[in-house]
């Protein structure tokens, strides 16, 4: 098993406490853009979380009043202009692998968004399981504004599931900014909170999740992401099998015994 408290990323801030990992991109002067290195290191971090025995939830936080300004214009977009097709495909597959790793990490991921969350920053928020934002959050899938298609890193598959096909088409064709109020009304953001309360709210939500049956949370995350491609009969059968697995955990027995004793269950994730 991997001890993620010992993880030492070079390209973003990372810490683990009380089974919650916190991530902050760390270039606030430029609104926290992603680079080739930070993309790869984030991907590798979420892949490592699959085997982590000291993390049960992840919170991605803003830094300096902004979440993420997407791919760095000078460090990423400039070099891409000169790449051949093989190099370009290697890059686009790597960025998509970050989303796959977030989905496949087995831990609930919470995005806490303030200020700018655009391009790949908007994608990272989209790929999270839960999203909180401040009223100042500005979210844009601005790929068309740099001459690219809106279908980046799974956006055409995932965004319509969250906010609906028509609203997703609006954002992906125009590249316009979605306000925080729109984001909450459309279901992209679970709720809006004041900027000075954002981290506390996100950490409290993570703590509530971590206090629950974390093995079962991993099953929930898997089913939420797999059932979109299933028919109803297949989904119901998959959930029957998933619940049968969870019924063999000690947490299920703990919940029963606590109920009988009229106590609150204390889950241990096994």
């Amino acid at each position: 098993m991997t001890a993620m408290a010992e993880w030492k990323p070079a390209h973003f801030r990372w810490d683990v406490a009380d089974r919650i990992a916190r991530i902050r991109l760390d270039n606030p002067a430029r609104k926290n853009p992603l680079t080739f290195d930070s993309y790869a290191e984030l991907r590798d971090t979420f892949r490592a979380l699959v085997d982590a025995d000291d993390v049960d939830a992840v919170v991605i936080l803003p830094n300096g009043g902004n979440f993420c300004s997407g791919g760095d214009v000078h460090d990423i977009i400039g070099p891409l202009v000169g790449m051949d097709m093989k190099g370009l495909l290697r890059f686009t597959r790597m960025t998509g692998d970050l989303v796959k790793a977030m989905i496949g990490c087995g831990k609930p991921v919470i995005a806490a968004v303030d200020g700018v969350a655009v391009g790949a920053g908007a994608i990272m928020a989209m790929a999270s399981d839960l999203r909180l934002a401040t009223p100042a959050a500005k979210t844009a899938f601005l790929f068309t504004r740099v001459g690219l298609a809106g279908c980046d890193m799974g956006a055409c598959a995932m965004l319509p599931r969250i906010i609906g096909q028509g609203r997703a088409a609006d954002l992906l064709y125009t590249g316009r900014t979605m306000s925080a109020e729109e984001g909450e009304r459309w279901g992209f953001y679970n709720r809006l909170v004041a900027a000075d309360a954002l981290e506390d709210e996100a950490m409290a939500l993570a703590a509530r999740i971590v206090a629950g049956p974390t093995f079962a949370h991993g099953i929930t995350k898997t089913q939420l992401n797999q059932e979109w491609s299933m028919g109803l009969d297949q989904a119901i059968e998959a959930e029957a099998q998933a619940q049968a697995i969870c019924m063999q955990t000690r947490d299920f027995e703990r919940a029963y015994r606590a109920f009988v004793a009229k106590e609150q269950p204390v889950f241990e994730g096994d």
Side-chain angles (χ1 to χ4, degrees):
M1 302 295 283
T2 304
M4 296 301 293
E6 300 172 6
W7 195 254
K8 303 293 183 185
H11 300 96
F12 53 87
R13 290 165 59 184
W14 168 268
D15 67 88
V16 175
D18 301 320
R19 309 192 68 79
I20 301 168
R22 293 187 296 183
I23 292 172
R24 296 180 208 265
L25 298 176
D26 199 20
N27 190 348
R30 296 171 68 181
K31 301 181 180 179
N32 308 310
L34 289 162
T35 65
F36 290 115
D37 289 334
S38 59
Y39 261 124
E41 198 164 46
L42 283 164
R43 174 203 61 197
D44 294 344
T45 298
F46 279 100
R47 284 177 172 173
L49 281 165
V50 173
D51 296 319
D53 58 3
D54 60 343
V55 173
D56 289 319
V58 180
V59 179
I60 308 174
L61 292 159
N63 189 1
N66 290 289
F67 186 72
C68 174
S69 57
D72 188 276
V73 173
H74 302 292
D75 292 344
I76 288 185
I77 296 178
L80 290 177
V81 172
M83 276 189 195
D84 61 13
M85 180 57 68
K86 185 176 180 180
L88 291 169
L89 188 56
R90 184 183 301 116
F91 168 73
T92 54
R93 284 175 171 163
M94 186 213 20
T95 64
D97 282 345
L98 170 56
V99 172
K100 292 179 186 178
M102 291 177 68
I103 293 169
C105 74
K107 325 290 183 183
V109 179
I110 299 167
V113 177
D114 190 18
V116 166
V118 300
I123 296 288
M124 287 181 64
M126 178 194 75
S128 300
D129 298 280
L130 295 160
R131 291 164 290 276
L132 307 182
T134 72
K138 297 177 176 64
T139 311
F141 300 83
L142 44 64
F143 308 108
T144 58
R145 288 161 60 181
V146 295
L148 297 176
C151 55
D152 198 68
M153 299 171 69
C156 283
M158 297 179 69
L159 190 60
R161 299 176 185 178
I162 299 169
I163 65 172
Q165 183 85 1
R167 290 165 175 166
D170 174 8
L171 298 180
L172 296 178
Y173 279 120
T174 67
R176 73 169 181 83
T177 297
M178 175 178 63
S179 70
E181 185 277 329
E182 273 184 314
E184 183 189 34
R185 178 160 45 88
W186 288 0
F188 187 82
Y189 289 115
N190 295 86
R191 65 178 181 269
L192 302 184
V193 299
D196 60 1
L198 179 64
E199 182 168 352
D200 287 345
E201 290 274 350
M203 294 301 291
L205 178 57
R208 181 176 180 179
I209 290 169
V210 166
T214 53
F215 176 87
H217 288 338
I219 297 289
T220 299
K221 178 160 182 158
T222 296
Q223 294 307 124
L224 279 169
N225 287 293
Q226 288 186 352
E227 288 187 31
W228 279 94
S229 59
M230 296 181 185
L232 181 58
D233 285 353
Q234 185 183 8
I236 291 172
E237 175 60 21
E239 292 192 4
Q241 294 181 22
Q243 288 293 53
I245 291 169
C246 290
M247 287 171 185
Q248 288 190 313
T249 65
R250 292 192 179 99
D251 274 347
F252 181 60
E253 182 179 349
R254 289 184 186 105
Y256 166 72
R257 295 193 183 283
F259 179 82
V260 171
K262 298 183 179 179
E263 299 172 349
Q264 284 292 110
V266 178
F267 296 115
E268 297 183 25
D270 62 351

